[in-house]
Amino acid sequence: MPRRISNRTATEIELFPFLSILFCTIGVLILLLMVLTAQTFSNQRQITIVAKTENGQNQSKQPRYIECRSDGVVLYPSQEFVALTQVNSSYSPLQTLLTEVKTNRDKQYLIVAIRPDGIEVFKTIRALIESEGIDIGYEPIDEGWQLKIQGNI
């Protein structure tokens, strides 16, 4: 019996282009993971609070800054610390600041930066500020971040 010879050629699939794209994608994802991890574990994080509206214009009032921590408050830009036990004292630097802002209520207001452990202190400070009729804004900030104030006070 004569044999039939088939001229069919086997179809081969070339995987090289697919694997090349796959390896490039994996490389980019690894690079992104490394960058994000480095940013997450960095201790040199800073946050700058800028008092501007959504369209980038400065408010007509000048902001004054307070940072709430677990043990008290820090007044900026002097970075003067007021212990929690001295917050309600009539001679504390905080009361002096509140009196000054209350006197210039149409020109100044307060921005309070809140650390995660300073929420209870913030509740006390907020009640004190609102009882004086002073406008207030607040910004939560992370524990490891350094607060940097922009602008002249």
Side-chain angles (χ1 to χ4, degrees):
M1 230 196 252
R3 261 189 183 173
R4 282 189 177 185
I5 299 177
S6 174
N7 286 339
R8 284 192 246 166
T9 58
T11 306
E12 293 183 18
I13 297 175
E14 182 77 28
L15 293 178
F16 182 73
F18 173 74
L19 292 175
S20 178
I21 292 171
L22 182 66
F23 288 140
C24 287
T25 305
I26 290 173
V28 168
L29 291 176
I30 289 172
L31 179 65
L32 284 174
L33 183 64
M34 288 173 43
V35 168
L36 291 174
T37 303
Q39 286 180 350
T40 302
F41 292 117
S42 173
N43 291 344
Q44 301 300 324
R45 296 197 105 181
Q46 279 190 346
I47 184 169
T48 303
I49 298 178
V50 181
K52 292 188 178 186
T53 61
E54 291 178 7
N55 61 4
Q57 300 297 319
N58 197 353
Q59 298 282 342
S60 60
K61 292 184 176 184
Q62 180 183 14
R64 302 295 300 265
Y65 298 93
I66 299 174
E67 175 186 352
C68 289
R69 302 188 318 197
S70 63
D71 53 350
V73 296
V74 179
L75 309 178
Y76 286 89
S78 64
Q79 295 188 0
E80 186 173 0
F81 178 74
V82 179
L84 187 56
T85 57
Q86 298 175 345
V87 165
N88 291 322
S89 171
S90 59
Y91 299 106
S92 75
L94 177 64
Q95 288 296 334
T96 305
L97 175 66
L98 291 179
T99 303
E100 182 181 333
V101 173
K102 183 178 178 182
T103 304
N104 299 314
R105 188 177 305 159
D106 56 335
K107 298 177 187 172
Q108 294 181 349
Y109 70 104
L110 289 172
I111 294 180
V112 182
I114 310 162
R115 300 277 182 190
D117 60 354
I119 294 175
E120 293 302 318
V121 175
F122 170 68
K123 290 177 183 177
T124 304
I125 297 300
R126 183 177 181 179
L128 188 62
I129 292 170
E130 287 178 348
S131 70
E132 297 289 335
I134 299 171
D135 291 335
I136 182 175
Y138 54 91
E139 182 71 30
I141 58 175
D142 200 12
E143 190 63 37
W145 292 357
Q146 179 183 2
L147 184 60
K148 180 179 174 188
I149 303 299
Q150 183 177 16
N152 297 331
I153 297 179

